[in-house]
């Protein structure tokens, strides 16, 4: 972003609910704060009809310009999605850089991306965001400076070069991401061959997914009280009380009005939710609009085709419930719920118990008696989960967890 001193502009529709306005304004302020920027002035305008030239009305733009100058703002952020044309017109009016909601979210993603794949993904998203803006600037310049017999000015040539560079970079990024996608696919196939059950933690950004993963697996995944602290999918092994091993993945958080370019750019990361055996939604009971957060999560999962994999809603931070009505709503969605608090440890045992019951839908515990010469023990160790092995005088007694679809492979050795 351009500077630390920000003039924030938010909008509301005619007759919009004040609570909705407050929550949207709180969220954009949190997004800006995550970037380390300081809102020095904030104006909220009622929009009856979007102005195709400047989004805001003429008088609203003039008022906003005066405020930005009075507070020595270095940048203007408008909580909306702006077309390249509107963005350019507003920058001309303010004589300051203007950023929209998409630019803010992309900047946060760029700030928090650590793995090579995540950085490539956000670079692609940024390139997709900048490309139409360059094309518009080029077209605008062409109209202003046609030149003799259509000859192009130096500025226009430079913009054309920039546009081609961006297009080539997008193609290059696509190739690199496709290679990484294939690698991820191979890793996933190897994981699936082991027969290990997988859970994906999903939910609104900052709902507590990373903290929950740390609590379950005694790991040290980065868990910060800020939006989009996690962008890279992290997978950890977990041994359930029964002795069964499972994998738990922490995925990128969702948010209202997530730019489509970011959904597309992070599709490979979000594939963890699609490829898992079960999805656990983590809902934040302390959020002022936990219902909307839940609905946003469910909507995104539906868009990804993973809605049917949702097996449980973890209502987190029940030590700080914000709204009893919203809390009751979360518990009445027809999906099993577990209430947790990472501060007190409440609900962790219940969650582990439910995870075991969920694996029972796909896995079954079987007892086998194998001769010492049998290759089955080796096959079980590669493809299934061996819980216990006892070597007796003339045979091997094995307790294993196998997928129900694979049970018949071992039917001849199962003890009654």
């Amino acid at each position: 972003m351009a500077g630390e001193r920000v003039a924030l502009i938010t909008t509301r529709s005619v007759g919009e609910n004040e609570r909705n306005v407050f929550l949207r304004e709180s969220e954009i302020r949190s997004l800006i704060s995550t970037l380390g920027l300081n809102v020095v002035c904030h104006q909220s305008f009622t929009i009856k009809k979007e102005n195709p030239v400047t989004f805001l009305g003429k008088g609203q733009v003039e008022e906003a310009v005066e405020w930005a100058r009075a507070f020595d703002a270095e940048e203007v952020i408008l909580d909306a999605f702006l077309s390249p044309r509107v963005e350019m017109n507003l920058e001309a009016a303010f004589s300051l850089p203007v950023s929209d909601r998409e630019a803010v979210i992309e900047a946060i993603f760029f700030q928090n991306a650590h793995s090579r794949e995540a950085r490539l993904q956000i670079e692609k998203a940024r390139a997709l965001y900048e490309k139409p803006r360059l094309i518009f600037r080029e077209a605008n310049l062409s109209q202003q400076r046609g030149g003799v017999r259509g000859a192009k000015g130096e500025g226009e040539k430079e913009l054309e070069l920039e546009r081609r560079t961006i297009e080539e970079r997008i193609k290059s990024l696509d190739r690199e991401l496709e290679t990484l996608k294939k690698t991820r696919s191979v890793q996933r196939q190897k994981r699936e061959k082991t027969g290990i059950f997988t859970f994906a933690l999903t939910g609104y950004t900052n709902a507590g997914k990373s903290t929950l993963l740390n609590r379950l697996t005694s790991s040290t995944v980065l868990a910060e009280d800020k939006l989009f602290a996690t962008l890279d999918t992290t997978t950890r092994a977990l041994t359930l009380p029964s002795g069964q091993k499972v994998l738990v993945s922490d995925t990128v958080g969702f948010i209202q009005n997530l730019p489509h370019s970011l959904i597309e750019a992070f599709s490979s990361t979000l594939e963890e939710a699609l490829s898992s055996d079960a999805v656990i939604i983590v809902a934040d009971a302390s959020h002022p609009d936990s219902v909307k957060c839940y609905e946003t999560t469910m909507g995104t999962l539906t868009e990804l085709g993973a809605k049917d994999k949702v097996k449980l809603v973890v209502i987190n931070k029940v030590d700080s419930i914000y709204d009893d009505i919203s809390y009751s709503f979360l518990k009445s969605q027809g999906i099993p719920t577990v209430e947790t608090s990472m501060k007190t440890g409440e609900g962790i045992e219940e969650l582990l118990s439910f995870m075991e019951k969920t694996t029972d839908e796909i896995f079954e515990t079987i007892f086998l008696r194998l001769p010492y010469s049998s290759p089955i023990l080796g096959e079980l160790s590669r493809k299934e989960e061996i819980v216990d092995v006892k070597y007796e005088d003339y045979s091997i007694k094995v307790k294993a967890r196998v997928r129900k679809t694979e049970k018949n492979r071992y039917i001849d050795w199962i003890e009654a």
Side-chain angles (χ1 to χ4, degrees), residues 54-55 78 80-84 86-87 90 98-100 129 133:
T54 55
F55 188 81
L78 205 160
F81 294 105
L82 304 177
S83 70
V86 168
E87 187 176 294
L90 287 174
V98 174
S99 298
D100 64 359
Y129 179 79
R133 283 156 172 76

Side-chain angles (χ1 to χ4, degrees), residues 95-155:
S95 298
L96 291 171
V98 174
S99 298
D100 64 359
R101 180 182 178 86
E102 183 169 355
V104 171
I105 295 176
E106 284 183 355
I108 295 173
F109 272 50
F110 182 80
Q111 175 180 278
N112 293 347
H114 301 295
S115 73
R116 174 169 175 74
E117 184 173 17
R119 295 194 73 84
L120 288 174
Q121 287 166 331
I122 188 57
E123 186 178 345
K124 178 185 174 182
R126 280 189 145 187
L128 290 170
Y129 179 79
E130 289 297 330
K131 181 181 174 181
R133 283 156 172 76
L134 277 178
I135 293 173
F136 181 81
R137 284 168 56 199
E138 183 178 319
N140 191 52
L141 186 58
S142 178
Q143 291 172 3
Q144 292 176 5
R145 297 178 56 190
V148 179
R149 296 175 61 184
K152 297 180 180 181
E154 291 302 315

Side-chain angles (χ1 to χ4, degrees), residues 183-197:
T183 301
R184 183 191 288 273
S185 178
V186 170
Q187 292 172 340
R188 186 179 297 120
Q189 289 172 9
K190 288 181 179 179
R191 191 170 69 200
E192 289 171 353
K193 286 181 180 178
T194 65
I196 298 179
F197 194 98

Side-chain angles (χ1 to χ4, degrees), residues 338-370:
V338 171
E339 300 170 40
T340 62
S341 167
M342 297 304 102
K343 288 183 178 179
T344 66
E346 178 184 347
I348 296 299
E349 290 186 7
E350 185 182 354
L351 173 57
L352 291 170
S353 176
F354 185 89
M355 293 172 75
E356 284 193 330
K357 290 178 182 177
T358 303
T359 64
D360 288 341
E361 296 177 11
I362 296 179
F363 283 80
E364 181 178 344
T365 299
I366 59 175
F367 295 88
L368 308 172
R369 189 173 291 277
L370 306 172

